[in-house]
Amino acid sequence: MPASQPPIALLLMAMGGPDCLENVEPYLMDVRGGRPTSSELVEEIRTRYRMTGGRSPVLGITREVAAALEGRLNDSGDRQYRCYVGLRHWHPFIKEAYAELLKDCPERIVGLCMAPQYSSLSIGAYVKKVEDARAALADETPISFVTSWHRHPLLIAAIADNIQRTLDRFPRDVRGQVPVLMTAHSLPERVVAMKDPYPEEVRGTAQAVIAQLGGQPTRFAYQSQGRSGETWLGPSVEETVEALAHEGHRHVLVAPIGFLCDHVETLYDIDIELTQLARAKGMQLERIPMLNASAPLIDILTSVVEAHESSLVH
């Protein structure tokens, strides 16, 4: 590759989270668009982070992914890629990462969110942050976005493999009957009236995984509903676990198919809160590992980026 050839900038974006307990309140203020958060809720959320390591692991994981993905892309092609990490609600903010990548004078930019399913309230919000950064910096570098890869074969295979491996934690004689509860982050129910594709896409991911599981029983539910006062998509994981217990199930495997890496929604909402609920119902609850910065995720993202690049050429 000629030394003068400018790189392709790959901007990896994630929600982010507080990097210490002291920053929980300013983080929540950013999430809430500048509206203050009650002291009670701040302390509740701070307690969740205190119980799960004292900070969000998202930035560290995403940086590890970026480094591995950059190396893989540069090994597999004749173009140079440089990967950057920008967070939607904490440092380094997307606008900060965008300003940083411009210093390398890229030929073009590819935006990729660490979420496989599209919603205007999630992926669309990331795109808006990038557009705001471009406007503020008066930048006109060509840019494109990967908006959805919810049924990518490598993603489905990786989730199904993690499910099969985690089923080994249950007694051998019941493994074939353990319900697999697939989850995705809930959104306000108004997305249905908006004809937002998110509900269809998360169920599409679930259906593709189910097709790989043979006759294993499965359920689907939404988790981590917000405190906005409006109705959120359901059924919730809590009511689904209670329904399974009522049906006589004593085991459940949770598979968060809407998430790629660990954060408070897996480490607290499932591993602590939902596990306590299941235990109170006399149930053994296990969760599949997130892909985090594993080799399968690097394989997936490499394929996603290469397919995107191919679509730009043709």
Side-chain angles (χ1 to χ4, degrees):
M1 184 186 72
S4 60
Q5 190 172 14
I8 298 171
L10 180 59
L11 178 57
L12 288 185
M13 295 175 283
M15 180 86 166
D19 49 6
C20 62
L21 295 177
E22 290 74 17
N23 285 332
V24 168
E25 186 168 12
Y27 164 73
L28 290 174
M29 182 168 286
D30 193 87
V31 171
R32 293 165 59 85
R35 292 178 291 114
T37 309
S38 70
S39 58
E40 293 80 10
L41 182 55
V42 169
E43 188 52 39
E44 179 184 331
I45 301 301
R46 186 177 286 127
T47 297
R48 295 182 179 197
Y49 280 102
R50 185 179 293 113
M51 295 176 69
T52 55
R55 63 177 180 177
S56 168
V58 170
L59 178 57
I61 293 170
T62 310
R63 281 178 166 163
E64 192 177 345
V65 170
L69 181 58
E70 180 179 292
R72 178 73 68 82
L73 289 169
N74 289 334
D75 285 344
S76 64
D78 57 1
R79 290 305 315 272
Q80 183 186 21
Y81 287 84
R82 290 189 185 162
C83 293
Y84 310 81
V85 173
L87 303 180
R88 184 170 150 199
H89 289 299
W90 199 243
H91 302 283
F93 287 108
I94 288 171
K95 62 183 178 183
E96 297 168 344
Y98 199 93
E100 187 67 24
L101 71 82
L102 288 183
K103 295 177 183 178
D104 290 326
C105 302
E107 175 187 320
R108 53 190 173 83
I109 303 165
V110 177
L112 173 60
C113 297
M114 294 288 285
Q117 300 96 3
Y118 179 85
S119 168
S120 60
L121 300 187
S122 57
I123 308 302
Y126 288 99
V127 173
K128 177 65 164 55
K129 291 283 188 182
V130 174
E131 291 173 343
D132 290 346
R134 286 169 65 81
L137 296 165
D139 179 55
E140 296 183 356
T141 306
I143 189 167
S144 58
F145 294 92
V146 178
T147 54
S148 175
W149 37 286
H150 66 291
R151 295 184 75 113
H152 192 287
L154 293 180
L155 172 68
I156 303 308
I159 295 172
D161 184 60
N162 278 346
I163 289 172
Q164 296 290 3
R165 290 172 184 271
T166 311
L167 282 169
D168 288 344
R169 296 181 192 170
F170 296 95
R172 185 182 300 274
D173 60 335
V174 302
R175 285 175 197 163
Q177 293 77 49
V178 174
V180 177
L181 174 54
M182 299 186 206
T183 71
H185 202 299
S186 187
L187 289 178
E189 201 174 68
R190 55 186 158 87
V191 299
V192 176
M194 295 163 53
K195 293 184 168 43
D196 190 283
Y198 181 75
E200 181 181 344
E201 293 209 355
V202 293
R203 289 190 177 274
T205 303
Q207 289 162 2
V209 172
I210 289 169
Q212 302 293 315
L213 297 181
Q216 197 76 29
T218 61
R219 299 288 176 93
F220 175 81
Y222 289 101
Q223 67 167 88
S224 309
Q225 283 80 355
R227 305 285 187 87
S228 64
E230 58 186 318
T231 304
W232 286 62
L233 292 171
S236 71
V237 290
E238 293 84 3
E239 62 192 25
T240 303
V241 165
E242 289 180 354
L244 288 169
H246 183 72
E247 293 167 17
H249 292 283
R250 291 296 172 259
H251 310 85
V252 60
L253 173 56
V254 180
I257 60 169
F259 303 111
L260 295 178
C261 77
D262 277 313
H263 41 54
V264 73
E265 283 86 355
T266 57
L267 300 173
Y268 182 85
D269 292 1
I270 295 175
D271 293 355
I272 295 177
E273 200 167 53
L274 194 65
T275 298
Q276 289 174 349
L277 172 64
R279 189 176 295 125
K281 299 289 183 181
M283 301 175 73
Q284 176 189 357
L285 183 149
E286 302 287 347
R287 172 176 68 82
I288 67 168
M290 295 294 90
L291 292 172
N292 290 326
S294 64
L297 182 61
I298 307 307
D299 291 342
I300 295 163
L301 294 180
T302 300
S303 177
V304 166
V305 172
E306 290 176 344
H308 179 74
E309 295 288 274
S310 178
S311 72
L312 295 177
V313 174
H314 297 96

